[in-house]
Amino acid sequence: MIVVMEQGATDEQVQATVKRIESLGLKASVIVGTERTVVAAIGEKREHAKESLESGEGVATVTPISAPYKMASREVRPEPSCITTLDFAAGAGKIGYVAGPCSVESEEQILATARAVKAAGATGLRGGAFKPRTSPYSFQGLKEDGLKMLAAARSETGLAVFTEVMSTEDVDLVARYADVLQVGARNMQNYRLLEAVGRAGKPVLLKRGASATMDEFLLAAEYILNEGNDQVMLCERGIRTFESHTRFTLPLASVTYLHRRTHLPVIIDPSHGTGHTYMVCDMAVAAIAAGADGLIIEVHPDPSTAASDGYQSQTFDEFQRTMNRCKIVADALAGVK
Amino acid sequence: MIVVMEQGATDEQVQATVKRIESLGLKASVIVGTERTVVAAIGEKREHAKESLESGEGVATVTPISAPYKMASREVRPEPSCITTLDFAAGAGKIGYVAGPCSVESEEQILATARAVKAAGATGLRGGAFKPRTSPYSFQGLKEDGLKMLAAARSETGLAVFTEVMSTEDVDLVARYADVLQVGARNMQNYRLLEAVGRAGKPVLLKRGASATMDEFLLAAEYILNEGNDQVMLCERGIRTFESHTRFTLPLASVTYLHRRTHLPVIIDPSHGTGHTYMVCDMAVAAIAAGADGLIIEVHPDPSTAASDGYQSQTFDEFQRTMNRCKIVADALAGVK
Amino acid sequence: MIVVMEQGATDEQVQATVKRIESLGLKASVIVGTERTVVAAIGEKREHAKESLESGEGVATVTPISAPYKMASREVRPEPSCITTLDFAAGAGKIGYVAGPCSVESEEQILATARAVKAAGATGLRGGAFKPRTSPYSFQGLKEDGLKMLAAARSETGLAVFTEVMSTEDVDLVARYADVLQVGARNMQNYRLLEAVGRAGKPVLLKRGASATMDEFLLAAEYILNEGNDQVMLCERGIRTFESHTRFTLPLASVTYLHRRTHLPVIIDPSHGTGHTYMVCDMAVAAIAAGADGLIIEVHPDPSTAASDGYQSQTFDEFQRTMNRCKIVADALAGVK
Amino acid sequence: MIVVMEQGATDEQVQATVKRIESLGLKASVIVGTERTVVAAIGEKREHAKESLESGEGVATVTPISAPYKMASREVRPEPSCITTLDFAAGAGKIGYVAGPCSVESEEQILATARAVKAAGATGLRGGAFKPRTSPYSFQGLKEDGLKMLAAARSETGLAVFTEVMSTEDVDLVARYADVLQVGARNMQNYRLLEAVGRAGKPVLLKRGASATMDEFLLAAEYILNEGNDQVMLCERGIRTFESHTRFTLPLASVTYLHRRTHLPVIIDPSHGTGHTYMVCDMAVAAIAAGADGLIIEVHPDPSTAASDGYQSQTFDEFQRTMNRCKIVADALAGVK
């Protein structure tokens, strides 16, 4: 860590900083500049070191020089990970396509959707049985009945089932039916839930919180990895900004950034990331062009009657077109350096 | 709701919108403009009506004309609420001052702090026993031992104990010791937790999520109220913006806005809201000047050794000065129209 | 416009709103809802109508139902525009590739770059002669000498010259040398400058301000169009958000949104949009996949010695690879529906 | 500056960094950590040093350790500045109150307003004669006629005239009538304009751009100071964030931050900072409580008929009440430590 002292910091304050660095088991190196003094703290990262140092008197800023996450980092594991379950695979050159309705509404609805997205080339089926809703008065999902319908759709189509778990109490139940446990954006920092899915023995799709920094996102993944589960996929689904013509702002540079920092696969959600059906195809294709390891897209037999998220869901035809365009881009780019 | 059709929407599309409005049990009123057609949907708000309408063909936008929350609204309860427990009171003209360390570290630490903040005029004691930490490698709190220390501090000082509950499993345990259950910013949309604290029979301090809109914030409160618990305080603790010279951006206009929309008291957290000790006093005084119903401030016997948040914690002396300034402003403003 | 009255608005307030609408030459239509009253104002949009109405007593909100810009809109001109100059063309199916250094530094530098980017397939040459710099102490550009070097590079390569004009005083001078006048993000709402470039008789590349909404962006274009210049290209170069791992956040959904709202071509700047050389290629390819009409990319013979923006500039080889990937994606997508 | 090398940077890359530091006339000090190597660059700050270093191979980040502005900094001038003109004074313990309409509309309007705000205690009169408007179709101001009306109001009341200048061409004209030249938020980085007002020999009120960082804001001030004009006031008027219940988000912590970094006075604009009349009084009082050196508030004889900004303008009575509350808070705080 680099400790920058305030201009005018006294010798006593510099010495106190040196002592504190040494008491943390680190080595201190003082550099006297023309305007300020800087103290470098050298050694293996310790817990609380940054916080402890930055509360010292005369200290202006403390800048860590290594990432706060470990198991998620490329430095610990240089090769990209590939997460596989049934026919679904994402990462290390494989692209996983997940599609399905926001909410499971009926067996008919989920079966029809599963058949259609499978035919278009998807390898995963999404569908919410437990729905986190902004309002307590909104539809909250079919719960276990919904999970059973998803399992039935898997039986018929072979698609891997992706579904959200909202609460530690539900992890066992959801894990009995799901192939991939999804942690929603609103729960990205629900640490007890992260630990619980970390122990559930199933792959996890972790969505980025709408205002999470990349370090916070990777540290949330670290909570799961820290429980011994290394089957984690990171999902960028848009961040909250001043823009109002889209529901969220979808930063595709996240793909490139995360690929440099972590070995975990990166999945893009262009449905939540834009909030408008007419934008989904373009952003899906752009995500593939940017190097994403997969997509998760909302598809519904009749979006205009969907119980939730109809305004951002594709029809079967729209999804088919999206898949065609994604695949042609993936193939084209595979052929050039 | 106001449904604005796209320019060039066909008569069939307008008629389909009218039909859908009527099928929701609402009355439709069509207004043909020179550029576009607008359809007003009149009647009591129904679930899904907005979502259902906005997925219709030819529909440009759907704008609700009443707030999505009910029990939290001024329209349902015009008079401001006052939340009281022990000597603490906030709302309807009462100002509640809560102070204490980020984390409970030892009985000595919490007792010394409780005595100091009580002497300075606080009526509530804060202190974390279960700590949500961004990194799995950071200090996670003393758990039940910490709760016991808080209870001991209450026994001696009479201060109401405010402490965070992070998980549904812990609600019963925390509620046995705490006077006010705190829901942190990261859990503001952890709906199962909101329901659980709603059933716990204790006042709740609900912190705004770092990127939550006001509607989302009030709907989170609505989850608690909906369980029959109307002892809810709203805490503004800063939002995430592009600014980096403060940890978060603290929008004090939230006080004025919330007072107009809801009867629930509004508490300001200038410690998290700024992230720098030197800013806390000014923002505390400004919050009182803006009409806040209370403050929650991090205070530590020796911030430079704090296990967490030392860089934004006040010393006892700094807190005393803050209280002096807050009280003189509150008194001065009480005397003018 | 739709005027939503506050809950509890009196009949007098509703009548005053009706009168004010009529005094603006619009027709008023009152809709009495169960909770609130809404008044629709019908007729051609007038100046100040929104502002005048929203300051009325008892008025909650005023929502316009048509776009505030006209000449830029698809509604006025449904077919996409194509801007051409020399061999450069962007829009209506043509993709324009512009590349070059942040600043013109020497004739040698700009000539070498022009040759390299031309060889890689670019049709436009960028290079700053007048540089807007955050600090008054930074390099401010070679001014007219730089313009002459750009003109020399055009003579040899035939590339269209794109260069920034920062001030009304400089418009005539810059227009003598440039093929396309660039208005920078910091000047997007410098209205006198917009008017001046509107009268200069040359195509304009208008960059989006870092916190401009889409309506503000299109209204800035409208200032130029309003002077009789319809040769305007819109450039998305990233917005300011809480993210700090990129210099700005680049929202590629802007392409899809703008294509729906306006006939003007949309150019993406992945260099400023990310601020890191290693991200530029991915975002360039993604932009093409999203349907962008062109790219503007910073390229330098030796980025490590660049006078400005070296950290986000590509080498000649990196640019060549980027062009290869962009073209293969553009070709692949041209072949599928 | 602190140059952090990437993990795995080679010895050659470290040596190249050292050489580059030395070629900039700085001294290099290499610190070999357990995970990374850091190189400190010591000496007086040079132009381009940061940019030059961060484009080096193997360099991860470059962190300056002193502020990029000089003349604006407390380090150069530790005592707070006070800007005075006529009876107006702001800074170093003096609070300046500026009020008036968004736009000058008529002599009657500006005179009535000047009398009312003077009676309430204001020492400055604001009023726009040149109006930067988002749309080319909106009212653009009375121009020189408006300036004459402002001068007439000054003659009668003695209030100092604050008015915006939008363009270098207009600086001389505006400076003939105004006591303080205002640079609007949209022009905060219009560097030619900053230089021109720097040479005009009048105090300047510089508004923060809606997405400007503090460094950018202070560097814009530096452009003015660099022309020899040290009569600069900084105006916080709100930043653009995801919040939509206010027009902008008003961060009052800017007062405390700026007071620590710069000697220049800090003025708060609660009218633009909130965008709603009902919020202006609370935020004005809060600003004074936070230590602001002044306020600039929109006041209109009849906001419901204002040509612009009526929705955020106060009536004379509202302004009188605001002044009463501000003054009682300022007096109360003057009496406590």
Side-chain angles (χ1 to χ4, degrees):
Chain A
M1 269 166 303
I2 299 298
V3 182
V4 178
M5 302 301 294
E6 292 189 343
Q7 213 168 19
T10 62
D11 279 0
E12 286 72 35
Q13 290 173 337
V14 174
Q15 283 317 309
T17 299
V18 168
K19 271 214 181 123
R20 194 171 299 179
I21 287 170
E22 291 171 352
S23 77
L24 290 161
L26 303 169
K27 211 180 121 222
S29 172
V30 177
I31 306 148
V32 180
T34 46
E35 294 186 28
R36 290 166 187 246
T37 295
V38 168
V39 191
I42 302 163
E44 282 185 32
K45 230 178 112 59
R46 301 293 160 111
E47 292 330 306
H48 315 311
K50 176 170 190 286
E51 290 182 347
S52 171
L53 290 171
E54 67 195 346
S55 53
E57 284 188 24
V59 170
T61 59
V62 179
T63 308
I65 59 173
S66 55
Y69 43 89
K70 298 203 184 313
M71 282 180 281
S73 78
R74 279 267 184 192
E75 297 176 351
V76 164
R77 177 170 168 165
E79 292 308 305
S81 296
C82 179
I83 311 298
T84 56
T85 173
L86 304 183
D87 291 341
F88 175 89
K94 303 282 187 188
I95 301 177
Y97 295 97
V98 188
C102 175
S103 304
V104 180
E105 295 165 14
S106 69
E107 187 155 332
E108 196 173 31
Q109 172 236 25
I110 194 71
L111 271 176
T113 307
R115 284 177 204 130
V117 303
K118 163 102 178 177
T123 50
L125 175 67
R126 62 155 290 155
F130 291 86
K131 297 300 302 171
R133 301 307 299 274
T134 306
S135 165
Y137 310 125
S138 295
F139 175 59
Q140 309 272 332
L142 294 180
K143 313 216 162 77
E144 189 167 1
D145 285 347
L147 296 173
K148 288 179 181 166
M149 294 172 194
L150 286 164
R154 172 181 48 211
S155 296
E156 188 187 315
T157 60
L159 293 170
V161 166
F162 285 62
T163 198
E164 178 162 356
V165 56
M166 286 174 61
S167 175
T168 49
E169 300 94 292
D170 302 331
V171 170
D172 286 348
L173 174 66
V174 176
R176 274 207 296 282
Y177 294 95
D179 301 298
V180 177
L181 299 175
Q182 184 176 319
V183 176
R186 287 176 269 210
N187 276 319
M188 192 203 84
Q189 293 190 312
N190 179 342
Y191 300 120
R192 295 299 84 80
L193 181 61
L194 297 176
E195 291 164 353
V197 299
R199 291 187 297 262
K202 291 268 171 128
V204 176
L205 182 80
L206 176 66
K207 293 195 139 191
R208 180 182 182 187
S211 64
T213 64
M214 284 296 169
D215 274 5
E216 290 169 346
F217 190 19
L218 288 164
L219 282 166
E222 194 88 0
Y223 264 94
I224 302 170
L225 297 164
N226 197 34
E227 298 293 329
N229 183 346
D230 62 357
Q231 302 283 95
V232 178
M233 292 174 269
L234 302 171
C235 180
E236 171 64 80
R237 41 74 77 202
I239 59 171
R240 191 152 265 175
T241 73
F242 69 85
E243 290 199 310
S244 60
H245 66 282
T246 45
R247 194 173 168 196
F248 293 96
T249 293
L250 183 66
L252 292 177
S254 299
V255 175
T256 311
Y257 178 83
L258 288 169
H259 279 173
R260 175 166 278 217
R261 297 288 161 209
T262 181
H263 52 90
L264 301 172
V266 182
I267 310 295
I268 296 292
D269 176 348
S271 307
H272 289 85
T274 61
H276 295 284
T277 304
Y278 82 93
M279 291 174 161
V280 171
C281 179
D282 283 356
M283 288 307 101
V285 183
I288 296 302
D293 302 300
L295 296 172
I296 181 164
I297 296 181
E298 290 189 341
V299 175
H300 192 282
D302 179 7
S304 72
T305 64
S308 52
D309 283 4
Y311 50 90
Q312 69 190 25
S313 297
Q314 291 190 316
T315 60
F316 297 164
D317 283 353
E318 287 164 340
F319 180 66
Q320 176 70 64
R321 175 172 180 267
T322 299
M323 287 297 291
N324 292 349
R325 292 174 75 81
C326 286
K327 293 200 157 174
I328 206 162
V329 165
D331 289 348
L333 288 171
V336 281
K337 268 290 162 179
Chain B
M1 269 166 304
I2 299 297
V3 182
V4 177
M5 303 300 295
E6 292 188 343
Q7 213 167 19
T10 61
D11 279 359
E12 286 71 37
Q13 290 174 336
V14 174
Q15 282 317 310
T17 299
V18 168
K19 271 214 180 122
R20 195 172 299 179
I21 288 170
E22 291 171 352
S23 77
L24 290 160
L26 304 168
K27 211 180 122 219
S29 172
V30 177
I31 306 147
V32 180
T34 46
E35 295 186 27
R36 289 166 188 248
T37 295
V38 168
V39 190
I42 302 163
E44 283 184 32
K45 231 180 110 61
R46 301 294 159 109
E47 292 328 307
H48 314 313
K50 176 170 189 285
E51 290 182 346
S52 170
L53 290 171
E54 68 195 346
S55 52
E57 285 187 24
V59 170
T61 61
V62 179
T63 309
I65 59 174
S66 55
Y69 43 90
K70 297 201 183 315
M71 282 180 282
S73 78
R74 279 269 183 191
E75 298 177 350
V76 164
R77 178 170 167 164
E79 293 307 305
S81 295
C82 179
I83 311 298
T84 57
T85 173
L86 303 181
D87 290 340
F88 175 89
K94 303 281 187 188
I95 301 178
Y97 295 98
V98 187
C102 175
S103 302
V104 180
E105 294 165 14
S106 69
E107 187 155 332
E108 196 173 32
Q109 171 236 26
I110 195 71
L111 271 176
T113 307
R115 285 178 204 129
V117 304
K118 163 102 179 176
T123 50
L125 174 68
R126 62 154 290 154
F130 291 87
K131 297 300 304 170
R133 301 306 300 273
T134 306
S135 166
Y137 309 125
S138 296
F139 174 60
Q140 310 271 331
L142 295 180
K143 310 218 165 78
E144 188 167 2
D145 286 346
L147 295 174
K148 288 179 180 166
M149 294 172 193
L150 285 165
R154 172 181 48 210
S155 294
E156 188 187 316
T157 59
L159 292 170
V161 166
F162 285 62
T163 198
E164 178 161 355
V165 56
M166 286 174 62
S167 174
T168 50
E169 300 93 292
D170 302 331
V171 171
D172 286 348
L173 174 67
V174 176
R176 274 207 295 283
Y177 294 96
D179 301 299
V180 177
L181 300 174
Q182 184 175 318
V183 176
R186 287 176 269 210
N187 275 320
M188 192 202 84
Q189 293 190 313
N190 180 342
Y191 301 119
R192 294 300 82 79
L193 180 61
L194 297 177
E195 290 164 353
V197 300
R199 290 187 299 261
K202 292 267 172 129
V204 176
L205 183 80
L206 176 66
K207 292 195 140 192
R208 180 180 181 188
S211 65
T213 64
M214 285 296 168
D215 274 5
E216 289 169 348
F217 191 17
L218 288 164
L219 282 165
E222 193 88 359
Y223 264 95
I224 302 170
L225 296 165
N226 197 35
E227 297 294 329
N229 184 346
D230 61 357
Q231 303 282 94
V232 178
M233 291 175 271
L234 302 171
C235 180
E236 171 64 78
R237 42 73 77 200
I239 58 171
R240 192 151 264 174
T241 72
F242 68 86
E243 291 199 309
S244 60
H245 65 282
T246 45
R247 193 172 168 198
F248 293 96
T249 294
L250 184 65
L252 292 178
S254 298
V255 175
T256 311
Y257 178 82
L258 287 169
H259 279 173
R260 176 167 277 218
R261 296 290 160 210
T262 180
H263 53 90
L264 301 172
V266 182
I267 310 296
I268 296 293
D269 177 346
S271 307
H272 289 85
T274 62
H276 296 284
T277 303
Y278 82 94
M279 290 175 163
V280 171
C281 179
D282 282 357
M283 288 306 102
V285 184
I288 296 302
D293 303 302
L295 297 172
I296 182 164
I297 295 181
E298 290 190 341
V299 175
H300 193 280
D302 179 7
S304 73
T305 64
S308 53
D309 284 5
Y311 49 90
Q312 69 190 26
S313 297
Q314 291 190 316
T315 60
F316 296 165
D317 283 353
E318 287 164 340
F319 180 65
Q320 175 71 64
R321 174 172 181 268
T322 299
M323 286 297 291
N324 292 349
R325 291 174 74 81
C326 286
K327 292 200 159 176
I328 205 161
V329 164
D331 289 348
L333 288 172
V336 279
K337 269 290 163 180
Chain C
M1 270 166 303
I2 299 297
V3 182
V4 178
M5 303 300 296
E6 291 188 343
Q7 213 168 20
T10 61
D11 279 0
E12 286 72 36
Q13 290 173 336
V14 174
Q15 282 317 310
T17 299
V18 168
K19 272 214 181 120
R20 194 171 299 179
I21 289 170
E22 291 171 351
S23 77
L24 291 160
L26 304 168
K27 211 179 122 220
S29 171
V30 177
I31 306 147
V32 179
T34 46
E35 295 185 29
R36 290 166 187 247
T37 295
V38 169
V39 191
I42 302 162
E44 283 184 33
K45 231 180 111 61
R46 302 292 160 109
E47 292 330 306
H48 315 312
K50 178 171 188 286
E51 290 182 346
S52 169
L53 289 171
E54 68 195 345
S55 53
E57 284 186 25
V59 171
T61 60
V62 179
T63 309
I65 60 174
S66 55
Y69 43 91
K70 295 202 184 317
M71 283 179 282
S73 78
R74 279 268 183 190
E75 298 176 350
V76 164
R77 178 168 167 166
E79 293 307 305
S81 296
C82 179
I83 311 297
T84 56
T85 174
L86 305 182
D87 290 341
F88 175 88
K94 303 282 188 189
I95 301 179
Y97 295 97
V98 187
C102 176
S103 303
V104 180
E105 294 165 14
S106 68
E107 187 153 330
E108 195 175 32
Q109 172 236 27
I110 194 72
L111 271 176
T113 307
R115 285 177 203 128
V117 304
K118 163 103 179 176
T123 50
L125 174 67
R126 63 153 291 153
F130 291 87
K131 297 299 304 171
R133 301 305 300 272
T134 305
S135 165
Y137 310 125
S138 296
F139 175 60
Q140 309 271 331
L142 295 180
K143 309 217 166 78
E144 188 167 3
D145 285 347
L147 295 174
K148 287 179 181 166
M149 295 172 192
L150 286 165
R154 172 181 48 211
S155 294
E156 187 187 316
T157 60
L159 292 170
V161 167
F162 285 62
T163 198
E164 178 162 354
V165 56
M166 286 174 61
S167 175
T168 49
E169 299 94 291
D170 302 332
V171 171
D172 285 348
L173 174 66
V174 176
R176 274 206 296 283
Y177 295 95
D179 301 299
V180 177
L181 300 174
Q182 184 175 317
V183 175
R186 288 177 269 210
N187 276 319
M188 192 203 84
Q189 294 190 311
N190 179 342
Y191 300 119
R192 294 301 81 80
L193 181 60
L194 298 176
E195 291 164 353
V197 299
R199 290 188 298 262
K202 290 268 172 127
V204 176
L205 183 79
L206 176 66
K207 291 195 140 190
R208 180 182 182 187
S211 65
T213 65
M214 285 295 167
D215 273 6
E216 291 169 346
F217 191 18
L218 288 164
L219 281 165
E222 194 87 1
Y223 265 95
I224 303 170
L225 297 165
N226 197 35
E227 298 293 328
N229 184 344
D230 62 356
Q231 303 282 94
V232 178
M233 292 175 270
L234 301 171
C235 179
E236 171 63 79
R237 41 75 78 203
I239 58 171
R240 191 151 265 173
T241 72
F242 69 87
E243 290 199 310
S244 60
H245 65 283
T246 44
R247 192 172 169 199
F248 293 95
T249 293
L250 184 64
L252 292 178
S254 299
V255 175
T256 311
Y257 178 82
L258 287 169
H259 278 173
R260 176 166 277 218
R261 297 290 161 209
T262 180
H263 52 91
L264 301 172
V266 182
I267 310 295
I268 295 293
D269 176 347
S271 307
H272 289 86
T274 62
H276 296 283
T277 303
Y278 82 94
M279 291 175 162
V280 171
C281 179
D282 283 356
M283 288 306 102
V285 183
I288 296 302
D293 302 300
L295 296 172
I296 182 164
I297 295 181
E298 290 190 340
V299 174
H300 193 281
D302 179 5
S304 73
T305 64
S308 53
D309 284 4
Y311 49 90
Q312 68 190 24
S313 296
Q314 291 190 317
T315 60
F316 297 164
D317 283 353
E318 287 164 340
F319 180 66
Q320 176 72 63
R321 175 172 180 266
T322 300
M323 286 298 291
N324 293 349
R325 293 174 73 82
C326 286
K327 292 199 159 175
I328 205 161
V329 165
D331 289 348
L333 288 172
V336 279
K337 268 292 164 177
Chain D
M1 270 165 304
I2 299 299
V3 182
V4 178
M5 304 299 295
E6 291 189 344
Q7 214 167 19
T10 62
D11 279 359
E12 286 72 37
Q13 290 173 335
V14 174
Q15 283 317 309
T17 299
V18 167
K19 273 216 180 119
R20 193 171 300 179
I21 288 170
E22 292 170 351
S23 77
L24 289 161
L26 304 169
K27 210 180 121 222
S29 172
V30 176
I31 306 147
V32 179
T34 46
E35 295 185 28
R36 289 166 188 246
T37 295
V38 168
V39 190
I42 302 164
E44 283 184 32
K45 230 179 112 58
R46 301 293 161 111
E47 292 330 304
H48 315 312
K50 176 170 190 286
E51 289 182 347
S52 170
L53 290 171
E54 68 195 345
S55 53
E57 282 188 27
V59 171
T61 60
V62 179
T63 308
I65 60 173
S66 55
Y69 43 89
K70 297 202 183 316
M71 283 181 280
S73 78
R74 279 268 183 191
E75 298 175 351
V76 164
R77 177 169 168 167
E79 293 308 304
S81 296
C82 179
I83 311 298
T84 56
T85 173
L86 304 182
D87 291 340
F88 176 89
K94 303 281 187 189
I95 301 177
Y97 295 98
V98 187
C102 176
S103 303
V104 180
E105 295 165 14
S106 68
E107 188 156 330
E108 195 174 33
Q109 173 236 25
I110 194 71
L111 271 175
T113 307
R115 286 177 202 131
V117 304
K118 163 103 178 175
T123 49
L125 174 68
R126 63 154 290 154
F130 291 87
K131 297 300 303 170
R133 302 307 300 274
T134 306
S135 166
Y137 310 127
S138 296
F139 175 60
Q140 309 271 332
L142 296 180
K143 311 214 163 79
E144 189 168 1
D145 286 346
L147 295 173
K148 288 179 181 167
M149 294 173 194
L150 286 164
R154 173 180 49 211
S155 296
E156 187 187 315
T157 59
L159 293 169
V161 166
F162 285 62
T163 198
E164 178 162 355
V165 55
M166 286 174 60
S167 176
T168 50
E169 299 95 291
D170 301 331
V171 170
D172 286 347
L173 174 67
V174 176
R176 275 207 295 283
Y177 295 96
D179 300 299
V180 178
L181 300 174
Q182 183 176 319
V183 175
R186 287 177 269 211
N187 276 319
M188 193 203 83
Q189 294 190 312
N190 179 342
Y191 301 119
R192 293 301 81 79
L193 180 61
L194 297 176
E195 291 164 353
V197 300
R199 291 187 298 262
K202 291 269 171 127
V204 176
L205 182 80
L206 176 66
K207 293 195 138 191
R208 180 182 182 187
S211 65
T213 64
M214 284 296 168
D215 274 6
E216 290 169 346
F217 191 17
L218 287 164
L219 282 166
E222 194 88 0
Y223 265 94
I224 302 170
L225 296 165
N226 197 34
E227 298 293 329
N229 183 345
D230 62 357
Q231 303 282 94
V232 178
M233 293 174 270
L234 301 171
C235 180
E236 170 64 81
R237 42 74 77 201
I239 58 171
R240 193 153 263 174
T241 72
F242 69 86
E243 290 199 311
S244 61
H245 66 282
T246 45
R247 194 171 167 198
F248 294 95
T249 293
L250 183 66
L252 292 178
S254 298
V255 175
T256 310
Y257 178 83
L258 288 169
H259 279 173
R260 176 166 276 217
R261 296 290 160 209
T262 180
H263 53 90
L264 301 173
V266 182
I267 311 294
I268 296 293
D269 176 347
S271 307
H272 289 85
T274 61
H276 295 284
T277 303
Y278 83 94
M279 291 175 161
V280 172
C281 179
D282 283 356
M283 288 307 101
V285 183
I288 296 302
D293 302 301
L295 295 172
I296 182 164
I297 296 182
E298 290 190 341
V299 174
H300 193 281
D302 179 7
S304 72
T305 64
S308 53
D309 284 4
Y311 50 89
Q312 68 190 26
S313 297
Q314 291 190 317
T315 60
F316 297 165
D317 283 352
E318 287 164 341
F319 180 65
Q320 176 71 63
R321 174 172 181 267
T322 299
M323 287 297 291
N324 293 348
R325 291 174 74 83
C326 286
K327 292 200 158 176
I328 206 162
V329 164
D331 289 347
L333 288 172
V336 280
K337 268 290 162 178

